[in-house]
PDB file of all heavy atoms in Angstrom:
ATOM      1  N   GLY F   1     115.756  94.175 114.913  1.00  0.00           N
ATOM      2  CA  GLY F   1     115.899  95.423 114.173  1.00  0.00           C
ATOM      3  C   GLY F   1     114.573  95.931 113.639  1.00  0.00           C
ATOM      4  O   GLY F   1     113.576  95.219 113.578  1.00  0.00           O
ATOM      5  N   ARG F   2     114.582  97.201 113.244  1.00  0.00           N
ATOM      6  CA  ARG F   2     113.357  97.863 112.790  1.00  0.00           C
ATOM      7  C   ARG F   2     112.877  97.261 111.464  1.00  0.00           C
ATOM      8  O   ARG F   2     113.669  96.975 110.567  1.00  0.00           O
ATOM      9  CB  ARG F   2     113.624  99.353 112.621  1.00  0.00           C
ATOM     10  CG  ARG F   2     112.431 100.137 112.093  1.00  0.00           C
ATOM     11  CD  ARG F   2     112.704 101.618 112.090  1.00  0.00           C
ATOM     12  NE  ARG F   2     112.751 102.136 113.453  1.00  0.00           N
ATOM     13  CZ  ARG F   2     113.075 103.371 113.760  1.00  0.00           C
ATOM     14  NH1 ARG F   2     113.409 104.228 112.809  1.00  0.00           N
ATOM     15  NH2 ARG F   2     113.086 103.764 115.017  1.00  0.00           N
ATOM     16  N   GLN F   3     111.561  97.135 111.348  1.00  0.00           N
ATOM     17  CA  GLN F   3     110.943  96.561 110.158  1.00  0.00           C
ATOM     18  C   GLN F   3     110.124  97.623 109.423  1.00  0.00           C
ATOM     19  O   GLN F   3     109.410  98.410 110.044  1.00  0.00           O
ATOM     20  CB  GLN F   3     110.002  95.414 110.529  1.00  0.00           C
ATOM     21  CG  GLN F   3     110.651  94.296 111.327  1.00  0.00           C
ATOM     22  CD  GLN F   3     109.628  93.274 111.791  1.00  0.00           C
ATOM     23  OE1 GLN F   3     109.571  92.161 111.279  1.00  0.00           O
ATOM     24  NE2 GLN F   3     108.793  93.656 112.761  1.00  0.00           N
ATOM     25  N   LEU F   4     110.230  97.602 108.102  1.00  0.00           N
ATOM     26  CA  LEU F   4     109.337  98.375 107.245  1.00  0.00           C
ATOM     27  C   LEU F   4     108.559  97.382 106.396  1.00  0.00           C
ATOM     28  O   LEU F   4     109.123  96.698 105.541  1.00  0.00           O
ATOM     29  CB  LEU F   4     110.128  99.336 106.339  1.00  0.00           C
ATOM     30  CG  LEU F   4     109.311 100.072 105.266  1.00  0.00           C
ATOM     31  CD1 LEU F   4     108.239 100.962 105.912  1.00  0.00           C
ATOM     32  CD2 LEU F   4     110.218 100.894 104.345  1.00  0.00           C
ATOM     33  N   PHE F   5     107.260  97.263 106.668  1.00  0.00           N
ATOM     34  CA  PHE F   5     106.394  96.432 105.842  1.00  0.00           C
ATOM     35  C   PHE F   5     105.904  97.270 104.667  1.00  0.00           C
ATOM     36  O   PHE F   5     105.521  98.435 104.834  1.00  0.00           O
ATOM     37  CB  PHE F   5     105.200  95.922 106.654  1.00  0.00           C
ATOM     38  CG  PHE F   5     105.531  94.772 107.558  1.00  0.00           C
ATOM     39  CD1 PHE F   5     106.057  95.004 108.820  1.00  0.00           C
ATOM     40  CD2 PHE F   5     105.329  93.466 107.144  1.00  0.00           C
ATOM     41  CE1 PHE F   5     106.368  93.946 109.662  1.00  0.00           C
ATOM     42  CE2 PHE F   5     105.644  92.402 107.978  1.00  0.00           C
ATOM     43  CZ  PHE F   5     106.160  92.636 109.233  1.00  0.00           C
ATOM     44  N   VAL F   6     105.916  96.671 103.487  1.00  0.00           N
ATOM     45  CA  VAL F   6     105.551  97.376 102.262  1.00  0.00           C
ATOM     46  C   VAL F   6     104.439  96.601 101.566  1.00  0.00           C
ATOM     47  O   VAL F   6     104.552  95.395 101.354  1.00  0.00           O
ATOM     48  CB  VAL F   6     106.780  97.509 101.333  1.00  0.00           C
ATOM     49  CG1 VAL F   6     106.403  98.178 100.027  1.00  0.00           C
ATOM     50  CG2 VAL F   6     107.896  98.286 102.024  1.00  0.00           C
ATOM     51  N   PHE F   7     103.362  97.316 101.235  1.00  0.00           N
ATOM     52  CA  PHE F   7     102.225  96.715 100.539  1.00  0.00           C
ATOM     53  C   PHE F   7     101.802  97.693  99.454  1.00  0.00           C
ATOM     54  O   PHE F   7     101.047  98.631  99.700  1.00  0.00           O
ATOM     55  CB  PHE F   7     101.094  96.433 101.523  1.00  0.00           C
ATOM     56  CG  PHE F   7     100.041  95.493 101.009  1.00  0.00           C
ATOM     57  CD1 PHE F   7     100.371  94.328 100.336  1.00  0.00           C
ATOM     58  CD2 PHE F   7      98.696  95.774 101.223  1.00  0.00           C
ATOM     59  CE1 PHE F   7      99.397  93.451  99.886  1.00  0.00           C
ATOM     60  CE2 PHE F   7      97.707  94.906 100.774  1.00  0.00           C
ATOM     61  CZ  PHE F   7      98.060  93.744 100.101  1.00  0.00           C
ATOM     62  N   LEU F   8     102.313  97.472  98.245  1.00  0.00           N
ATOM     63  CA  LEU F   8     102.193  98.435  97.156  1.00  0.00           C
ATOM     64  C   LEU F   8     101.151  98.003  96.130  1.00  0.00           C
ATOM     65  O   LEU F   8     100.488  96.983  96.259  1.00  0.00           O
ATOM     66  CB  LEU F   8     103.561  98.617  96.495  1.00  0.00           C
ATOM     67  CG  LEU F   8     104.691  99.167  97.377  1.00  0.00           C
ATOM     68  CD1 LEU F   8     106.003  99.205  96.608  1.00  0.00           C
ATOM     69  CD2 LEU F   8     104.346 100.550  97.919  1.00  0.00           C
ATOM     70  N   GLY F   9     101.032  98.832  95.085  1.00  0.00           N
ATOM     71  CA  GLY F   9     100.228  98.457  93.932  1.00  0.00           C
ATOM     72  C   GLY F   9      98.738  98.685  94.082  1.00  0.00           C
ATOM     73  O   GLY F   9      97.966  98.312  93.204  1.00  0.00           O
ATOM     74  N   GLY F  10      98.303  99.272  95.192  1.00  0.00           N
ATOM     75  CA  GLY F  10      96.873  99.410  95.403  1.00  0.00           C
ATOM     76  C   GLY F  10      96.181  98.104  95.702  1.00  0.00           C
ATOM     77  O   GLY F  10      94.952  98.007  95.640  1.00  0.00           O
ATOM     78  N   THR F  11      96.961  97.065  96.064  1.00  0.00           N
ATOM     79  CA  THR F  11      96.395  95.734  96.281  1.00  0.00           C
ATOM     80  C   THR F  11      95.410  95.712  97.439  1.00  0.00           C
ATOM     81  O   THR F  11      94.508  94.862  97.461  1.00  0.00           O
ATOM     82  CB  THR F  11      97.529  94.718  96.516  1.00  0.00           C
ATOM     83  OG1 THR F  11      98.473  94.823  95.446  1.00  0.00           O
ATOM     84  CG2 THR F  11      96.997  93.297  96.555  1.00  0.00           C
ATOM     85  N   ILE F  12      95.546  96.625  98.380  1.00  0.00           N
ATOM     86  CA  ILE F  12      94.589  96.683  99.484  1.00  0.00           C
ATOM     87  C   ILE F  12      93.170  96.864  98.947  1.00  0.00           C
ATOM     88  O   ILE F  12      92.193  96.443  99.582  1.00  0.00           O
ATOM     89  CB  ILE F  12      94.958  97.815 100.474  1.00  0.00           C
ATOM     90  CG1 ILE F  12      94.155  97.705 101.768  1.00  0.00           C
ATOM     91  CG2 ILE F  12      94.809  99.190  99.833  1.00  0.00           C
ATOM     92  CD1 ILE F  12      94.443  96.484 102.588  1.00  0.00           C
ATOM     93  N   GLY F  13      93.039  97.453  97.766  1.00  0.00           N
ATOM     94  CA  GLY F  13      91.736  97.651  97.158  1.00  0.00           C
ATOM     95  C   GLY F  13      91.085  96.370  96.665  1.00  0.00           C
ATOM     96  O   GLY F  13      89.878  96.359  96.385  1.00  0.00           O
ATOM     97  N   ASN F  14      91.863  95.298  96.545  1.00  0.00           N
ATOM     98  CA  ASN F  14      91.286  94.020  96.111  1.00  0.00           C
ATOM     99  C   ASN F  14      90.522  93.321  97.225  1.00  0.00           C
ATOM    100  O   ASN F  14      89.855  92.305  96.989  1.00  0.00           O
ATOM    101  CB  ASN F  14      92.383  93.083  95.596  1.00  0.00           C
ATOM    102  CG  ASN F  14      93.073  93.591  94.357  1.00  0.00           C
ATOM    103  OD1 ASN F  14      94.267  93.383  94.177  1.00  0.00           O
ATOM    104  ND2 ASN F  14      92.357  94.270  93.480  1.00  0.00           N
ATOM    105  N   PHE F  15      90.623  93.851  98.450  1.00  0.00           N
ATOM    106  CA  PHE F  15      89.904  93.282  99.578  1.00  0.00           C
ATOM    107  C   PHE F  15      88.592  94.031  99.789  1.00  0.00           C
ATOM    108  O   PHE F  15      88.524  95.258  99.606  1.00  0.00           O
ATOM    109  CB  PHE F  15      90.722  93.419 100.873  1.00  0.00           C
ATOM    110  CG  PHE F  15      92.049  92.728 100.864  1.00  0.00           C
ATOM    111  CD1 PHE F  15      93.081  93.202 101.658  1.00  0.00           C
ATOM    112  CD2 PHE F  15      92.275  91.609 100.088  1.00  0.00           C
ATOM    113  CE1 PHE F  15      94.317  92.571 101.676  1.00  0.00           C
ATOM    114  CE2 PHE F  15      93.500  90.967 100.098  1.00  0.00           C
ATOM    115  CZ  PHE F  15      94.522  91.439 100.896  1.00  0.00           C
ATOM    116  N   SER F  16      87.568  93.308 100.221  1.00  0.00           N
ATOM    117  CA  SER F  16      86.378  93.985 100.721  1.00  0.00           C
ATOM    118  C   SER F  16      86.750  94.751 101.989  1.00  0.00           C
ATOM    119  O   SER F  16      87.849  94.567 102.546  1.00  0.00           O
ATOM    120  CB  SER F  16      85.277  92.972 101.032  1.00  0.00           C
ATOM    121  OG  SER F  16      85.634  92.188 102.171  1.00  0.00           O
ATOM    122  N   GLU F  17      85.849  95.601 102.458  1.00  0.00           N
ATOM    123  CA  GLU F  17      86.146  96.363 103.669  1.00  0.00           C
ATOM    124  C   GLU F  17      86.439  95.441 104.839  1.00  0.00           C
ATOM    125  O   GLU F  17      87.390  95.654 105.596  1.00  0.00           O
ATOM    126  CB  GLU F  17      84.974  97.283 104.013  1.00  0.00           C
ATOM    127  CG  GLU F  17      85.227  98.162 105.225  1.00  0.00           C
ATOM    128  CD  GLU F  17      84.116  99.150 105.478  1.00  0.00           C
ATOM    129  OE1 GLU F  17      83.754  99.874 104.532  1.00  0.00           O
ATOM    130  OE2 GLU F  17      83.617  99.202 106.619  1.00  0.00           O
ATOM    131  N   GLN F  18      85.660  94.378 104.984  1.00  0.00           N
ATOM    132  CA  GLN F  18      85.863  93.442 106.096  1.00  0.00           C
ATOM    133  C   GLN F  18      87.181  92.693 105.945  1.00  0.00           C
ATOM    134  O   GLN F  18      87.914  92.492 106.929  1.00  0.00           O
ATOM    135  CB  GLN F  18      84.703  92.452 106.174  1.00  0.00           C
ATOM    136  CG  GLN F  18      83.342  93.069 106.486  1.00  0.00           C
ATOM    137  CD  GLN F  18      82.709  93.807 105.288  1.00  0.00           C
ATOM    138  OE1 GLN F  18      83.087  93.587 104.128  1.00  0.00           O
ATOM    139  NE2 GLN F  18      81.760  94.677 105.594  1.00  0.00           N
ATOM    140  N   GLU F  19      87.503  92.277 104.724  1.00  0.00           N
ATOM    141  CA  GLU F  19      88.766  91.573 104.485  1.00  0.00           C
ATOM    142  C   GLU F  19      89.956  92.481 104.742  1.00  0.00           C
ATOM    143  O   GLU F  19      90.966  92.049 105.313  1.00  0.00           O
ATOM    144  CB  GLU F  19      88.796  91.040 103.051  1.00  0.00           C
ATOM    145  CG  GLU F  19      87.832  89.904 102.780  1.00  0.00           C
ATOM    146  CD  GLU F  19      87.670  89.628 101.306  1.00  0.00           C
ATOM    147  OE1 GLU F  19      87.970  90.518 100.467  1.00  0.00           O
ATOM    148  OE2 GLU F  19      87.217  88.512 100.974  1.00  0.00           O
ATOM    149  N   ALA F  20      89.862  93.739 104.306  1.00  0.00           N
ATOM    150  CA  ALA F  20      90.956  94.691 104.528  1.00  0.00           C
ATOM    151  C   ALA F  20      91.170  94.935 106.016  1.00  0.00           C
ATOM    152  O   ALA F  20      92.309  94.996 106.493  1.00  0.00           O
ATOM    153  CB  ALA F  20      90.661  96.007 103.810  1.00  0.00           C
ATOM    154  N   ASP F  21      90.074  95.066 106.759  1.00  0.00           N
ATOM    155  CA  ASP F  21      90.203  95.274 108.210  1.00  0.00           C
ATOM    156  C   ASP F  21      90.905  94.087 108.863  1.00  0.00           C
ATOM    157  O   ASP F  21      91.802  94.264 109.708  1.00  0.00           O
ATOM    158  CB  ASP F  21      88.823  95.479 108.835  1.00  0.00           C
ATOM    159  CG  ASP F  21      88.229  96.844 108.526  1.00  0.00           C
ATOM    160  OD1 ASP F  21      88.947  97.695 107.955  1.00  0.00           O
ATOM    161  OD2 ASP F  21      87.049  97.064 108.853  1.00  0.00           O
ATOM    162  N   ARG F  22      90.514  92.877 108.478  1.00  0.00           N
ATOM    163  CA  ARG F  22      91.137  91.692 109.070  1.00  0.00           C
ATOM    164  C   ARG F  22      92.615  91.610 108.696  1.00  0.00           C
ATOM    165  O   ARG F  22      93.471  91.346 109.559  1.00  0.00           O
ATOM    166  CB  ARG F  22      90.412  90.431 108.590  1.00  0.00           C
ATOM    167  CG  ARG F  22      91.019  89.137 109.133  1.00  0.00           C
ATOM    168  CD  ARG F  22      90.357  87.926 108.525  1.00  0.00           C
ATOM    169  NE  ARG F  22      90.940  86.696 109.060  1.00  0.00           N
ATOM    170  CZ  ARG F  22      90.634  85.480 108.619  1.00  0.00           C
ATOM    171  NH1 ARG F  22      89.765  85.320 107.657  1.00  0.00           N
ATOM    172  NH2 ARG F  22      91.210  84.423 109.160  1.00  0.00           N
ATOM    173  N   PHE F  23      92.925  91.858 107.437  1.00  0.00           N
ATOM    174  CA  PHE F  23      94.311  91.792 106.977  1.00  0.00           C
ATOM    175  C   PHE F  23      95.179  92.821 107.701  1.00  0.00           C
ATOM    176  O   PHE F  23      96.274  92.509 108.183  1.00  0.00           O
ATOM    177  CB  PHE F  23      94.356  92.015 105.469  1.00  0.00           C
ATOM    178  CG  PHE F  23      95.733  92.221 104.922  1.00  0.00           C
ATOM    179  CD1 PHE F  23      96.593  91.150 104.743  1.00  0.00           C
ATOM    180  CD2 PHE F  23      96.181  93.497 104.586  1.00  0.00           C
ATOM    181  CE1 PHE F  23      97.871  91.346 104.245  1.00  0.00           C
ATOM    182  CE2 PHE F  23      97.457  93.698 104.090  1.00  0.00           C
ATOM    183  CZ  PHE F  23      98.297  92.618 103.926  1.00  0.00           C
ATOM    184  N   LEU F  24      94.714  94.056 107.789  1.00  0.00           N
ATOM    185  CA  LEU F  24      95.504  95.109 108.410  1.00  0.00           C
ATOM    186  C   LEU F  24      95.666  94.888 109.916  1.00  0.00           C
ATOM    187  O   LEU F  24      96.713  95.207 110.482  1.00  0.00           O
ATOM    188  CB  LEU F  24      94.876  96.477 108.127  1.00  0.00           C
ATOM    189  CG  LEU F  24      95.024  96.962 106.677  1.00  0.00           C
ATOM    190  CD1 LEU F  24      94.172  98.190 106.437  1.00  0.00           C
ATOM    191  CD2 LEU F  24      96.483  97.237 106.327  1.00  0.00           C
ATOM    192  N   ARG F  25      94.651  94.327 110.556  1.00  0.00           N
ATOM    193  CA  ARG F  25      94.800  94.008 111.980  1.00  0.00           C
ATOM    194  C   ARG F  25      95.836  92.905 112.183  1.00  0.00           C
ATOM    195  O   ARG F  25      96.618  92.937 113.142  1.00  0.00           O
ATOM    196  CB  ARG F  25      93.454  93.596 112.574  1.00  0.00           C
ATOM    197  CG  ARG F  25      92.473  94.743 112.745  1.00  0.00           C
ATOM    198  CD  ARG F  25      91.238  94.323 113.527  1.00  0.00           C
ATOM    199  NE  ARG F  25      90.257  95.396 113.561  1.00  0.00           N
ATOM    200  CZ  ARG F  25      89.080  95.366 112.923  1.00  0.00           C
ATOM    201  NH1 ARG F  25      88.733  94.307 112.205  1.00  0.00           N
ATOM    202  NH2 ARG F  25      88.251  96.379 113.014  1.00  0.00           N
ATOM    203  N   ASP F  26      95.822  91.918 111.299  1.00  0.00           N
ATOM    204  CA  ASP F  26      96.824  90.855 111.370  1.00  0.00           C
ATOM    205  C   ASP F  26      98.222  91.432 111.156  1.00  0.00           C
ATOM    206  O   ASP F  26      99.176  91.087 111.861  1.00  0.00           O
ATOM    207  CB  ASP F  26      96.498  89.786 110.316  1.00  0.00           C
ATOM    208  CG  ASP F  26      97.416  88.577 110.388  1.00  0.00           C
ATOM    209  OD1 ASP F  26      97.861  88.221 111.503  1.00  0.00           O
ATOM    210  OD2 ASP F  26      97.682  87.971 109.334  1.00  0.00           O
ATOM    211  N   LEU F  27      98.333  92.344 110.191  1.00  0.00           N
ATOM    212  CA  LEU F  27      99.620  92.984 109.937  1.00  0.00           C
ATOM    213  C   LEU F  27     100.044  93.844 111.127  1.00  0.00           C
ATOM    214  O   LEU F  27     101.210  93.816 111.545  1.00  0.00           O
ATOM    215  CB  LEU F  27      99.512  93.837 108.674  1.00  0.00           C
ATOM    216  CG  LEU F  27     100.757  94.611 108.247  1.00  0.00           C
ATOM    217  CD1 LEU F  27     101.954  93.687 108.087  1.00  0.00           C
ATOM    218  CD2 LEU F  27     100.484  95.368 106.956  1.00  0.00           C
ATOM    219  N   ARG F  28      99.103  94.582 111.696  1.00  0.00           N
ATOM    220  CA  ARG F  28      99.420  95.421 112.855  1.00  0.00           C
ATOM    221  C   ARG F  28     100.007  94.587 114.000  1.00  0.00           C
ATOM    222  O   ARG F  28     100.920  95.037 114.713  1.00  0.00           O
ATOM    223  CB  ARG F  28      98.140  96.148 113.309  1.00  0.00           C
ATOM    224  CG  ARG F  28      98.190  96.783 114.683  1.00  0.00           C
ATOM    225  CD  ARG F  28      99.195  97.909 114.777  1.00  0.00           C
ATOM    226  NE  ARG F  28      99.293  98.443 116.127  1.00  0.00           N
ATOM    227  CZ  ARG F  28     100.060  97.955 117.085  1.00  0.00           C
ATOM    228  NH1 ARG F  28     100.799  96.876 116.866  1.00  0.00           N
ATOM    229  NH2 ARG F  28     100.098  98.523 118.270  1.00  0.00           N
ATOM    230  N   ALA F  29      99.515  93.370 114.159  1.00  0.00           N
ATOM    231  CA  ALA F  29     100.007  92.501 115.237  1.00  0.00           C
ATOM    232  C   ALA F  29     101.457  92.101 115.032  1.00  0.00           C
ATOM    233  O   ALA F  29     102.127  91.675 115.982  1.00  0.00           O
ATOM    234  CB  ALA F  29      99.128  91.250 115.341  1.00  0.00           C
ATOM    235  N   ARG F  30     101.974  92.229 113.804  1.00  0.00           N
ATOM    236  CA  ARG F  30     103.358  91.860 113.511  1.00  0.00           C
ATOM    237  C   ARG F  30     104.320  93.021 113.762  1.00  0.00           C
ATOM    238  O   ARG F  30     105.531  92.819 113.761  1.00  0.00           O
ATOM    239  CB  ARG F  30     103.507  91.418 112.036  1.00  0.00           C
ATOM    240  CG  ARG F  30     102.551  90.327 111.613  1.00  0.00           C
ATOM    241  CD  ARG F  30     102.702  89.076 112.434  1.00  0.00           C
ATOM    242  NE  ARG F  30     104.059  88.548 112.361  1.00  0.00           N
ATOM    243  CZ  ARG F  30     104.550  87.647 113.205  1.00  0.00           C
ATOM    244  NH1 ARG F  30     103.808  87.201 114.191  1.00  0.00           N
ATOM    245  NH2 ARG F  30     105.773  87.193 113.065  1.00  0.00           N
TER     246      ARG F  30
END
């Protein structure tokens, strides 16, 4: 079934640019 991933709170801002890129690519693979 369809998935909605939710990442709230502005937490993406706690990552450096490189960390955010790695995290989002890992998430994209899911």
Side-chain angles (χ1 to χ4, degrees):
R2 177 174 290 174
Q3 304 174 108
L4 172 62
F5 282 85
V6 177
F7 196 44
L8 298 176
T11 307
I12 192 65
N14 296 145
F15 299 153
S16 70
E17 183 175 308
Q18 296 76 19
E19 290 167 339
D21 286 352
R22 179 186 180 186
F23 169 77
L24 288 170
R25 288 189 186 111
D26 185 33
L27 179 55
R28 165 65 184 85
R30 306 301 302 164

